[in-house]
Amino acid sequence: MIFQQLTAVLSNYFSAPAGFLALLSLIPLALFYFMKPEPEERIMPSMAFFMKKKKSGKMEQALSRLVANLLLVLHILFVVGAAAAIAQPYFIGEQRPENSVIVMDVSASMGDDFSEAKSFATSNLGEENTVIVAGEDTDVLAQSVSAGQARSIISEIELRDVESDIVSGIELAQSYEGNIVLASDIVQTSDSNSAKQLADSLGVDRSITGFDASNQNKWGIIEVDDRGRYIEVKNFMNQSTDLEIDTPAGSRNISLPGEEVRKVELETETGRNTVELPEDGLEADNTAYISIPENQTVEVTFVGDQANPYFREAVEAISFTTFKSVTPPIDDSLDADVYVVGETDEILSSTASELQSEARNGKSLVMFAQPDLKSKGFNQAPAKIEDQVNATVEVTRPRRINIGRTEVFQTTNVTGSNWAIPSGTLVNRNYGNGNIVLYNLNDDRFRYDFYYPVFWKGLFEELEERPSASQLNVETGERVEGTRITSSGFYNLSGSTYAANLESVAESDSEPLTVSSTVSADRRGQKDLQNFTAGALALLAALEVLYLTWIGEL
């Protein structure tokens, strides 16, 4: 009866309590030590004079007896340790799954929940872990790494002001073995329900742990005019609210009914401008960043035998250009940023050389396609002009414009970049520090097109490397100068200041969803102590060897 009760108690700490039967080996060990005859102590007569009998205290006697029987103590401890090891000790503690697949949602809708989501992810790590980030794109940061490595990787992950493709993250997680940990609000920008349905269906045959997001966005900026003229603000609540908005021109108050959108007109300045709303659950849509380019004037000089009033009107309609027209032959020196050579038979070869020299030194030269360009002195023309034919033309750069069927010159020996289809219709050649452009379109027809001034504005901006306000103000997720923009704010790229904003109603007006978790919240279980007891036994054996060496027995 007593043995059964003792076994029941020990079973709370040992998997095989019967292993303590090994303690019975202490009986013969004790008999061996206690029945062993003590050595006879003899004192040499010559030394008796120097010895003095002292009565030792009880403590000193016990210590002396312990030192004398230290080997016995080590033997007893070794036997007890061996018995404990056979009994397989354990304790109840937190158990990690063998494998975990962490899906970290880095999209803007995570907002204030992101820090808590990272803590949730690190508290659900396995012995081996795969870490996946899901934003607008999905990427695997690490595979089969330890909990410590995964914790370090997760701590470095940053929130991005981009839309979410959590569906791709969940689909990617399915290709890895282990419990899937969704550190996400389960909001798919394109389809809010598909992500939850996918995650719930996944839990049927895969263990899955879901994060309970609580982020609540009250209001936000859902659109920023690419020219900085206005923003649109939406109230995501069901009730009216009053908002104080900080603009470049000062603070202003607006009253916004529930679930309504209000356009707010702005007065911006050259350079960087910010518009701010009060803080709420999503920081990414509370600030609008607007970049307005400086007003740098581009001087355009037209060189031709006859005036081109349509071209003049197109240039004068552009806010950053000035127009001047000269008629060959030209005796005076020229000074402009862009030279446009129209149809001419009177131009001097010296003038052609001067214009090409200006291009080599950093200016831009645009040539209307016409026969015998090179014979007129333009030996750096991007192509040789042949006969005129009909073709379907589409401009691809700087802006895509479908011109349709028109007359163009056939070209050969094209040198430079084709900015239109077919080849040779619009060609840009880098020449020294500047550019030479062949304009091989029927200007007599194209000048009546609605896009005629738009074309010239874009061409001048491209040649002068002068990005417009619409080019400087972009949405997060876009690529600018080869750089992927993932956060709202200002960016200095290639000498220009770009402004990036979230501008996503789906991300701002998102409702966090909860995935049905298929993993028990109580993950406590037996933690084996076999390695610990094995180490303790090895230490005791080493101590015994050292002691035997010290007393000269080895």
Side-chain angles (χ1 to χ4, degrees), residues 117-415:
K118 292 172 71 172
S119 298
F120 168 79
T122 55
S123 65
N124 285 278
L125 295 173
E127 297 297 333
E128 290 191 351
N129 303 272
T130 296
V131 182
I132 299 172
V133 291
E136 206 169 43
D137 298 317
T138 303
D139 190 23
V140 179
L141 296 187
Q143 298 181 43
S144 301
V145 298
S146 67
Q149 290 174 304
R151 187 176 291 106
S152 177
I153 292 169
I154 292 172
S155 67
E156 298 295 326
I157 297 175
E158 296 182 352
L159 185 67
R160 305 172 189 172
D161 296 335
V162 295
E163 295 184 338
S164 58
D165 185 12
I166 192 63
V167 167
S168 295
I170 298 173
E171 290 175 341
L172 181 59
Q174 295 181 70
S175 60
Y176 295 92
E177 181 182 355
N179 172 49
I180 296 178
V181 179
L182 286 179
S184 169
D185 55 5
I186 321 296
V187 172
Q188 174 75 8
T189 301
S190 58
D191 186 352
S192 299
N193 293 321
S194 61
K196 176 173 170 54
Q197 291 170 354
L198 176 61
D200 283 341
S201 63
L202 181 61
V204 174
D205 54 3
R206 288 287 296 275
S207 58
I208 186 168
T209 305
F211 171 66
D212 187 11
S214 59
N215 178 46
Q216 293 293 328
N217 192 23
K218 297 179 180 179
W219 47 73
I221 299 170
I222 61 172
E223 183 179 345
V224 180
D225 177 53
D226 58 10
R227 298 182 184 179
R229 297 169 298 181
Y230 64 87
I231 61 170
E232 289 187 358
V233 182
K234 182 173 182 179
N235 178 8
F236 299 113
M237 300 184 294
N238 294 324
Q239 60 188 28
S240 298
T241 186
D242 294 328
L243 296 177
E244 181 179 359
I245 305 177
D246 290 330
T247 74
S251 298
R252 56 185 299 185
N253 295 297
I254 64 170
S255 181
L256 200 57
E259 301 183 352
E260 290 290 326
V261 177
R262 176 71 56 81
K263 178 184 287 188
V264 179
E265 303 288 340
L266 300 175
E267 295 180 11
T268 54
E269 303 171 347
T270 299
R272 301 184 177 193
N273 298 265
T274 58
V275 182
E276 297 182 356
L277 304 183
E279 294 183 1
D280 63 350
L282 186 61
E283 181 180 355
D285 64 0
N286 287 336
T287 303
Y289 301 91
I290 302 170
S291 180
I292 303 299
E294 296 181 3
N295 294 320
Q296 296 178 340
T297 301
V298 176
E299 296 179 353
V300 179
T301 294
F302 180 80
V303 180
D305 293 347
Q306 295 180 353
N308 189 331
Y310 295 93
F311 177 74
R312 185 192 70 242
E313 290 180 6
V315 174
E316 291 178 345
I318 302 171
S319 61
F320 58 85
T321 58
T322 61
F323 179 81
K324 179 182 178 181
S325 179
V326 294
T327 303
I330 303 170
D331 297 325
D332 298 333
S333 60
L334 300 172
D335 184 16
D337 298 308
V338 180
Y339 299 98
V340 180
V341 178
E343 295 182 6
T344 177
D345 292 321
E346 304 297 329
I347 193 166
L348 302 175
S349 59
S350 58
T351 303
S353 298
E354 181 184 354
L355 293 174
Q356 291 173 127
S357 177
E358 286 279 279
R360 187 175 58 249
N361 292 328
K363 303 300 180 66
S364 295
L365 173 60
V366 180
M367 303 175 179
F368 277 48
Q370 50 195 293
D372 302 325
L373 260 179
K374 292 195 175 184
S375 65
K376 295 174 182 178
F378 293 103
N379 52 8
Q380 299 299 329
K384 182 180 179 181
I385 305 301
E386 302 288 350
D387 297 331
Q388 197 170 38
V389 297
N390 287 318
T392 301
V393 177
E394 181 181 15
V395 176
T396 58
R397 184 175 173 182
R399 300 185 183 185
R400 187 171 293 275
I401 301 174
N402 187 4
I403 295 178
R405 200 76 177 167
T406 188
E407 294 84 11
V408 299
F409 285 98
Q410 287 184 318
T411 55
T412 58
N413 302 328
V414 176
T415 303

